Amino acid sequence: MLLALALLAIVPGFPEVPVLASDTRFAPGTEDMAVARTVGGIASYTRWPEPPPTLRICVSGAARHADRLGEAARTAGRPVTVRRLGVGTALAGCDLLYLGAMRPAENLGMIRAMHGRAILSIAESDPACRGGAMFCLAVGASSLSFRINIDAISRSALRVDPRVQRVATLAGGGN
């Protein structure tokens, strides 16, 4: 699904909301920056029960595109801190969990550790979006898209603006 649309650029009630698109084109070599913009955009359309003044991003697993996640602040609309976690580390102090490649059992353990907590999850290495994360990135040579996992979002304490669904590919049968 190639959408060259900058949907949600002007959203009533959100005067300074960043652009969020399901298919973002970028110059080769700028994948990390495109990922940072997309992660920040997704976070900007997410509502926490108690909004964090600083978005605390925790990175776990072998993440290939996490080096510039600190720049997600531009599209997240708030300051961002980034820290790396070992697989299986406690998620205290995380508002967003960015999952890199890891064994399925390790991924499942991280997803289970989020249950009942207000943590947004974004997977970098699960293009089919079957590992339990709320959002799953598909990073290509010059494009970036994402899928959403409605089940994971609905079980979360977070609220994701439904307009995000319009620009994402639904995981699990609604393609």
Side-chain angles (χ1 to χ4, degrees), residues 1 3 7-8 20-23 42 134-136 145-150 153 162-171 174-175:
M1 179 176 167
L3 292 177
L7 296 175
L8 305 176
L20 185 63
S22 70
D23 188 15
I42 291 169
M134 295 176 198
F135 291 85
C136 302
S145 60
F146 64 91
R147 296 174 73 106
I148 60 172
N149 183 329
I150 298 274
I153 292 171
R163 291 171 284 196
V164 173
Q165 295 175 25
R166 293 183 201 154
V167 296
T169 304
L170 299 177
N175 294 345

Side-chain angles (χ1 to χ4, degrees), residues 126-138:
D126 184 12
C129 211
R130 304 219 189 272
M134 295 176 198
F135 291 85
C136 302
L137 304 178

